[in-house]
Amino acid sequence: MIHSNVYDATIVQLPINHKDKGNLTSVNNYKEIPFKIKRIYYLYDVPGGISRGGHAHKELQQFIVSASGSFDLVLDDTRIKRTITLNRPYFGVLLPPGLWRELNNFSSGAICLVLASDIYKEEDYIREYFKFKQYKNGI
Ligand code: TYD
């Protein structure tokens, strides 16, 4: 996805099962998200002022939700930066590959839940911004 831009990331509103005793939200393969989940991971206990992410993926699709608290997702396609604040467990961002992302402004107790289309593969990462720019320019 060399040509993906920050507006290819879409905000998805998830269904909420309202009950007197609290709410429940589910995410299903090929329903709320267009891929099959192969991995789930979550970031938590992120100290205030810390930025996570700082990389892009070549193939991986992800769905990112704030399971608790809030944080900012900053997307960058080398031309435009877009910041999306995630602060509700029923709003997620569907993230195509080919976008640089950073996560920052974590609130106390925030949990960043990530549903991913593949297992962890270091070779899918672009971890240096200059390499990301080369990748986007087809170099
Ligand atoms: P990384 O993706 O670099 O985290 P972030 O971008 O949030 O700072 O991963 C941090 C470390 O965790 C790195 O050493 C790889 C490891 N890791 C796994 O072992 N499995 C995973 O699914 C992920 C996402 C990371």
Side-chain angles (χ1 to χ4, degrees):
M1 284 286 269
I2 289 177
H3 301 298
S4 55
N5 71 58
V6 294
Y7 297 110
D8 292 324
T10 49
I11 296 171
V12 176
Q13 182 164 7
L14 299 167
I16 307 171
N17 289 280
H18 292 282
K19 297 274 182 218
D20 308 345
K21 292 187 273 183
N23 300 327
L24 185 152
T25 289
S26 67
V27 183
N28 297 271
N29 294 333
Y30 306 124
K31 194 174 173 194
E32 291 83 8
I33 56 172
F35 59 84
K36 183 169 182 182
I37 299 163
K38 285 202 184 162
R39 175 172 50 124
I40 296 170
Y41 65 92
Y42 33 97
L43 301 171
Y44 54 98
D45 290 348
V46 179
I50 289 291
S51 180
R52 299 293 306 247
H55 62 251
H57 286 283
K58 296 175 195 162
E59 301 287 342
L60 189 72
Q61 299 178 71
Q62 290 167 303
F63 185 67
I64 301 183
V65 184
S66 171
S68 182
S70 67
F71 54 85
D72 288 341
L73 171 64
V74 184
L75 302 176
D76 179 345
D77 57 21
T78 72
R79 292 167 198 275
I80 301 170
K81 277 195 183 193
R82 177 183 177 198
T83 299
I84 301 169
T85 299
L86 287 170
N87 54 13
R88 294 284 183 273
Y90 50 84
F91 277 117
V93 174
L94 195 54
L95 206 54
L99 295 176
W100 191 265
R101 88 287 307 279
E102 284 177 16
L103 295 160
N104 55 39
N105 279 334
F106 281 85
S107 69
S108 168
I111 301 174
C112 170
L113 178 65
V114 183
L115 313 180
S117 64
D118 206 351
I119 60 170
Y120 176 76
K121 289 179 182 161
E122 184 57 36
E123 63 271 25
D124 189 64
Y125 279 72
I126 305 171
R127 290 195 182 271
E128 285 163 289
Y129 193 76
F130 81 94
K131 287 189 182 162
F132 175 62
K133 283 210 278 194
Q134 290 175 341
Y135 176 77
K136 295 299 265 185
N137 289 325
I139 299 171

